[in-house]
């Protein structure tokens, strides 16, 4: 299996630019078919730990459990602020107050949970964030699959808990935070809003993970603010999700399936574009500052705690060697 360190290394010419050994020498073709290129790319994912080794790692399962619990709490706290116990407000002032309440509830919930669990799992709580980090090879395929499954199950469990806590007479109209485009909003428009909000969220997460950026304050709070801003933009259009797990749970419990794909595909694509945009617009990434996670030290099973944004074994949200 190709080692990620062999595929991406700093050039010897002193330029500091990474040499990509995956694609071979420059030219119109590297001699491999598209299928072989894809196979080589999959093999280049940070899998220094084998599938079995990672599944047998105690901290791996602790991180997966943490993602489940954090997403569950996010769904309860955030979607709980969306409960419709009364008729929808008709005046603009009351409607704006509801939007602000929901935006602050999600933003403060994300801030609190990232601060609590960022040192354990990275505090993703969002499949769009996890898949974006997988595409740029910051986490392994095994861990990303386990995270996404835990996040979706956490969203489902959170929606179930919220349903159980809602007074029985209010359950048919409570909504439980299920997301649907507003009346008159087309699927393409809803998709665009979810896409743009997800770009902002993922870029904010990446910027706070970058260990070579100047620390400008409380990083968990800035991530939470990105959710607040996204909600203020998206709530009148789509109900503001940009988190497939957060939409998945309430949709299952309330049987709300209308345009659910918008809330799954839009955030995932937005996250991918966001993380690629960050990689290609930040100067530090040209020098391989955000080093890939899950490294072994000199082929041994000892973990090398490097300067990666998501640290090797612990997938922490860190700055150098310091936790949040």
């Amino acid at each position: 299996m190709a080692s990620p360190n062999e595929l991406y290394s700093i050039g010897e010419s002193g330029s500091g630019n990474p040499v990509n050994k995956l694609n071979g020498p420059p030219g119109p073709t590297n001699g491999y078919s598209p299928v072989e290129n894809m196979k080589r790319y999959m093999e280049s994912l940070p899998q220094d730990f084998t599938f079995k080794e990672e599944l047998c790692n105690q901290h791996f399962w602790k991180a997966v459990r943490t993602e489940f619990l954090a997403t569950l709490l996010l769904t309860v706290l955030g979607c709980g602020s969306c409960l419709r116990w009364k008729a929808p407000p008709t005046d603009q002032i009351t409607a704006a107050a509801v939007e602000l309440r929901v935006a602050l509830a999600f933003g403060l919930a994300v801030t609190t949970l990232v601060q609590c669990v960022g040192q354990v799992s990275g505090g993703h709580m969002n499949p769009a964030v996890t898949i974006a980090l997988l595409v740029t090879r910051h986490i392994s395929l095994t861990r990303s699959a386990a995270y996404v499954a835990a996040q979706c199950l956490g969203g489902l469990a959170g929606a179930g808990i919220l349903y159980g806590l809602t007074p029985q007479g209010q359950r048919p109209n409570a909504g439980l935070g299920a997301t649907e485009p507003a009346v008159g909003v087309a699927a393409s428009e809803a998709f665009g809003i979810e896409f743009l909000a997800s770009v902002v969220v993922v870029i904010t997460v990446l910027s706070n993970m970058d260990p070579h950026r100047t620390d400008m304050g409380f990083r968990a709070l800035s991530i939470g603010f990105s959710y607040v801003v996204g909600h203020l933009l998206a709530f009148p259009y789509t109900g503001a999700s940009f988190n497939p797990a957060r939409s998945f749970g309430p949709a299952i419990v309330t049987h709300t399936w209308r345009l659910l794909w918008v809330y799954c595909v839009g955030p995932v694509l937005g996250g991918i574009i966001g993380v690629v945009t960050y990689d290609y617009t930040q100067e530090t990434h040209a020098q391989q500052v955000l080093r890939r996670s899950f490294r072994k030290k000199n082929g041994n099973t000892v973990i090398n705690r490097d300067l990666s944004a998501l640290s090797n074994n612990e997938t922490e949200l860190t700055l150098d060697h310091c936790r949040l």
Side-chain angles (χ1 to χ4, degrees):
M1 182 185 304
S3 168
N5 288 327
E6 296 175 356
L7 294 170
Y8 288 86
S9 60
I10 303 300
E12 298 179 356
S13 62
S15 62
N17 295 325
V19 177
N20 187 342
K21 300 180 181 179
L22 176 61
N23 294 325
T29 177
N30 57 15
Y32 296 103
S33 68
V35 174
E36 290 173 328
N37 277 328
M38 179 57 68
K39 182 179 179 181
R40 286 166 60 83
Y41 170 75
M42 294 301 293
E43 289 177 348
S44 74
L45 292 173
Q47 289 286 351
D48 287 349
F49 286 111
T50 66
F51 176 78
K52 183 178 180 180
E53 286 175 330
E54 194 153 28
L55 290 183
C56 293
N57 186 285
Q58 181 181 3
H59 194 93
F60 171 83
W61 291 109
K62 181 184 292 187
V64 172
R65 293 194 301 269
T66 300
E67 283 295 305
F68 171 83
L69 178 61
T71 310
L72 183 154
L73 294 175
L74 176 63
T75 303
V76 172
L77 296 173
C79 294
S81 67
C82 304
L83 292 179
R84 299 191 297 266
W85 288 13
K86 300 179 180 179
T90 55
D91 60 286
Q92 292 185 351
I93 295 179
T94 306
V98 171
E99 294 176 12
L100 182 60
R101 180 188 70 189
V102 174
L104 289 176
F106 271 100
L108 293 177
V110 168
T111 299
T112 303
L113 293 170
V114 168
Q115 180 66 17
C116 291
V117 306
Q119 78 279 7
V120 179
S121 67
H124 297 185
M125 299 174 288
N126 188 341
V129 174
T130 300
I131 293 174
L133 295 175
L134 169 66
V135 168
T136 49
R137 304 193 305 118
H138 288 92
I139 63 174
S140 69
L141 182 60
T142 303
R143 184 172 293 243
S144 62
Y147 272 21
V148 170
Q151 290 156 0
C152 291
L153 290 175
L156 179 59
I161 291 173
L162 197 58
Y163 181 83
L165 295 176
T166 304
Q168 189 170 1
Q170 303 290 343
R171 289 174 183 174
N173 300 319
L176 300 182
T179 48
E180 286 185 297
V183 177
V185 176
S188 59
E189 297 165 344
F191 180 90
I193 290 292
E194 290 291 313
F195 177 90
L196 290 175
S198 300
V199 169
V200 173
V201 167
V202 169
I203 288 179
T204 305
V205 170
L206 261 289
S207 66
N208 282 279
M209 285 165 44
D210 192 333
H212 284 246
R213 285 178 60 94
T214 302
D215 192 2
M216 301 180 66
F218 189 18
R219 291 178 289 151
L221 186 60
S222 66
I223 295 175
F225 277 155
S226 71
Y227 279 86
V228 172
V229 171
H231 274 78
L232 292 176
L233 166 68
F235 193 82
Y237 292 88
T238 65
S241 171
F242 37 95
N243 184 339
R246 166 256 184 276
S247 289
F248 174 76
I252 294 293
V253 174
T254 63
H255 304 287
T256 305
W257 309 108
R258 177 172 171 259
L259 295 179
L260 180 61
W261 68 269
V262 167
Y263 300 97
C264 297
V265 180
V268 169
L269 289 181
I272 293 172
I273 296 300
V275 77
V276 171
T277 300
Y278 188 84
D279 270 351
Y280 282 94
T281 56
Q282 297 297 313
E283 223 176 274
T284 55
H285 284 71
Q287 301 175 7
Q288 208 56 7
V289 170
L290 277 179
R291 297 172 61 188
R292 310 310 184 193
S293 57
F294 305 101
R295 296 284 190 266
K296 288 183 180 179
K297 185 175 182 179
N298 298 326
N300 298 323
T301 57
V302 178
I303 305 301
N304 177 23
R305 185 177 175 83
D306 61 16
L307 300 181
S308 62
L310 294 174
S311 71
N312 297 329
N313 189 35
E314 301 183 17
T315 318
E316 296 174 358
L317 180 62
T318 63
L319 181 67
D320 290 337
H321 289 174
C322 301
R323 298 183 179 184
L324 278 173

